[in-house]
Amino acid sequence: MLKKLFICLFVFFIHNHEPADGQKKKETLLSEKVTQMMEWTSKRSVIRMNGDKFRRFVKAPPRNYSVVIMFTALQPQRQCGVCRQADEEYQVLANSWRYSSAFTNKVFFASVDFDEGSDVFQMLNMNSAPTFLHFPSKGKTRLSDTYELQVRGFAAEQLARWVADRTDVQIRVIRPPNYAGPLLLGLLLAVIGGMAYLRRHNLEFLFSKNVWAFSATDQIGFVADGDDRTKRAYMRYGLKNEIWF
Ligand SMILES: *[C@@H]1O[C@H](CO)[C@@H](O)[C@H](O)[C@H]1NC(C)=O
């Protein structure tokens, strides 16, 4: 009788040991992955991933964190001007998150460069850069997990809105101080002042069409500028030099 009980217990133990052990392994693996992602993020706000890292930390389960990835082509020989501008904005966004008091391990920012992870581009059937994708912490990837770059542009504020929509994480975009605007205004005023001074005996120039046209275009440029740098870049280049593979 006792022997039978032992056997029963033994069988019971064997049967239950497996899943419990698997669960524990999964938990350990997950916490290792989260620790690793946190360590990378502490070094640079945007984690650079090649194919291996992407498969391990984004594609393969278990994962309880969201990953936003910019697929890009930053090597000079790729000549992707838009990639560089988008990268700047993406860094602003990732830094705003990394140094925010609300920072958690819920969302990580990463990038995959075509020249370091072309296998990932192939795997995802991706043929243009830059492209932003969100990999949700759970559930399937939806259409809205692909950022509509052509429609929304790549300003950090727009990207933040999309991230908030996809992950519930609100990021307040904080830009490093930009002295270009005030400097330019100062220069413009100095030039106008200088011209007025030199021509003080001949104020007719104020009515010259050319001078007005010059200052008018400058004003327009400046208004667009004040908003955000990207808008200007976006208006100037459009997305014409986005690249296709
Ligand atoms: C994900 O799981 C790890 C390990 O259990 C935990 O440390 C981390 O806080 C979890 N992250 C979230 C966003 O729940």
Side-chain angles (χ1 to χ4, degrees):
M1 179 65 196
L2 207 62
K3 208 167 155 193
K4 242 186 195 161
L5 187 69
F6 265 125
I7 289 172
C8 272
L9 274 177
F10 186 66
V11 168
F12 179 80
F13 180 72
I14 293 221
H15 271 252
N16 279 272
H17 187 68
E18 266 301 326
D21 202 36
Q23 189 60 41
K24 211 168 160 203
K25 259 194 200 140
K26 220 164 130 186
E27 192 53 44
T28 321
L29 179 60
L30 179 61
S31 97
E32 271 170 20
K33 280 166 81 170
V34 173
T35 309
Q36 179 66 81
M37 292 292 276
M38 287 296 271
E39 197 194 313
W40 281 329
T41 300
S42 72
K43 292 203 183 107
R44 39 164 75 210
S45 309
V46 175
I47 303 169
R48 279 174 74 154
M49 288 191 170
N50 55 15
D52 276 353
K53 278 188 193 167
F54 176 81
R55 273 184 290 274
R56 221 169 100 77
F57 290 88
V58 181
K59 210 73 191 140
R63 181 160 59 79
N64 64 352
Y65 47 86
S66 278
V67 189
V68 174
I69 300 190
M70 174 179 66
F71 294 86
T72 190
L74 288 170
Q75 291 298 312
Q77 77 266 20
R78 297 284 168 202
Q79 301 194 337
C80 179
V82 172
C83 292
R84 233 156 299 142
Q85 294 160 22
D87 184 58
E88 274 180 31
E89 289 300 305
Y90 192 53
Q91 298 287 344
V92 168
L93 176 69
N95 279 327
S96 301
W97 174 233
R98 167 74 190 77
Y99 297 107
S100 146
S101 56
F103 176 76
T104 64
N105 53 20
K106 248 174 118 171
V107 180
F108 293 101
F109 290 93
S111 69
V112 177
D113 193 285
F114 183 73
D115 291 286
E116 287 166 16
S118 59
D119 46 338
V120 183
F121 278 70
Q122 247 165 37
M123 190 199 310
L124 298 173
N125 264 329
M126 192 157 344
N127 52 13
S128 85
T131 300
F132 294 90
L133 292 187
H134 167 242
F135 295 84
S137 55
K138 46 173 143 349
K140 280 220 165 87
T141 310
R142 296 156 187 265
L143 205 61
S144 45
D145 286 313
T146 302
Y147 180 71
E148 288 179 300
L149 186 71
Q150 307 276 352
V151 178
R152 301 172 78 168
F154 47 69
E157 289 80 1
Q158 288 284 30
L159 286 164
R161 242 164 257 154
W162 171 65
V163 170
D165 177 53
R166 301 318 306 148
T167 65
D168 289 334
V169 164
Q170 310 280 340
I171 302 173
R172 200 161 70 86
V173 173
I174 297 169
R175 291 178 178 279
N178 178 3
Y179 300 108
L183 269 180
L184 221 72
L185 183 64
L187 199 68
L188 191 70
L189 287 177
V191 168
I192 290 175
M195 276 162 73
Y197 178 77
L198 287 174
R199 302 253 207 139
R200 64 194 183 283
H201 299 303
N202 180 10
L203 288 175
E204 258 163 75
F205 88 95
L206 277 177
F207 303 100
S208 141
K209 259 188 210 151
N210 286 340
V211 171
W212 277 112
F214 164 75
S215 52
T217 41
D218 236 69
Q219 289 299 326
I220 290 167
F222 198 71
V223 168
D225 229 48
D227 227 351
D228 45 286
R229 266 180 311 149
T230 337
K231 207 179 242 166
R232 175 192 50 182
Y234 194 75
M235 289 192 326
R236 191 182 302 150
Y237 297 102
L239 282 173
K240 270 188 216 108
N241 57 346
E242 160 187 54
I243 66 164
W244 293 78
F245 298 105

